[in-house]
Amino acid sequence: MSAPGHPGGTGPEVTVDDGVEVPVPADGEVWTVGAVILDRDGRAFAQRRGPHRRLFPDCWDIVGGHVEPGESLLDALAREVEEETGWRLRRVRRLFGITTWTGDDGNGERHEADYLVEVDGDLAHPALEWAKHTAYDWFGPDDLPRLTENRAPGEHLIHDLIARALLDR
């Protein structure tokens, strides 16, 4: 299956592997998307959120963000990958899962779809949004404990997603 590579429905196609679920948000639902990106060595990309971010300050995070009203999850995924890294979404390999969570920002319940994806671009030089992120790194199995820095006990969504990606490649 192929889908437009960015909002507006034009541009490079994104391949979506067979069986990958892409939910369609219902009216009034707030959705976010996340992308676990692996390099050729099988390490996962994560970026550290800035200390002044309202949600999850100074924590490691995968690429992703909010789905805008009227935007599909795939378009949001492609947009977020490009905005946060400068890379282009090429392939959606699998859905890791859908979680529901409520942030402490007063914006209510969110549904989050997290995917294992492949991208095109210079993986050694992501174009981070430095106003929002302070660092990036590639995480292998030995690096997983760092993903729980500045997280409360039990708040290990990013750690668990990356650990699963590293095990299930």
Side-chain angles (χ1 to χ4, degrees):
M1 175 170 118
S2 292
H6 59 81
T10 62
E13 296 276 318
V14 173
T15 300
V16 179
D17 287 7
D18 290 340
V20 175
E21 179 185 355
V22 181
V24 176
D27 287 343
E29 287 183 338
V30 177
W31 280 79
T32 62
V33 290
V36 178
I37 300 165
L38 301 179
D39 68 5
R40 287 187 184 99
D41 297 325
R43 298 174 303 167
F45 180 82
Q47 52 195 352
R48 185 181 286 279
R49 295 172 63 85
H52 304 294
R53 300 286 301 271
R54 175 74 174 128
L55 288 172
F56 316 115
D58 206 27
C59 294
W60 289 103
D61 199 3
I62 57 175
V63 173
H66 288 87
V67 177
E68 301 294 334
E71 187 177 42
S72 74
L73 268 64
L74 287 179
D75 283 345
L77 196 62
R79 176 181 51 77
E80 291 290 348
V81 166
E82 187 168 346
E83 286 177 1
E84 293 187 8
T85 65
W87 303 328
R88 187 183 66 79
L89 181 64
R90 175 173 30 98
R91 178 180 172 201
V92 179
R93 291 176 45 190
R94 81 187 318 178
L95 172 66
F96 277 126
I98 298 171
T99 56
T100 301
W101 56 276
T102 302
D104 62 359
D105 59 357
N107 287 332
E109 183 178 82
R110 295 167 176 86
H111 306 278
E112 179 171 337
D114 294 305
Y115 294 91
L116 178 63
V117 305
E118 293 178 5
V119 299
D120 288 325
D122 183 354
L123 298 186
H125 299 96
L128 257 60
E129 293 180 289
W130 291 107
K132 295 181 179 181
H133 299 97
T134 59
Y136 72 90
D137 208 348
W138 291 93
F139 290 79
D142 294 340
D143 306 309
L144 290 173
R146 290 179 46 218
L147 294 169
T148 61
E149 293 172 356
N150 300 321
R151 298 309 320 239
E155 290 184 349
H156 296 155
L157 176 64
I158 300 306
H159 170 279
D160 295 350
L161 283 170
I162 288 178
R164 186 171 169 197
L166 296 176
L167 291 173
D168 297 347
R169 300 184 265 144

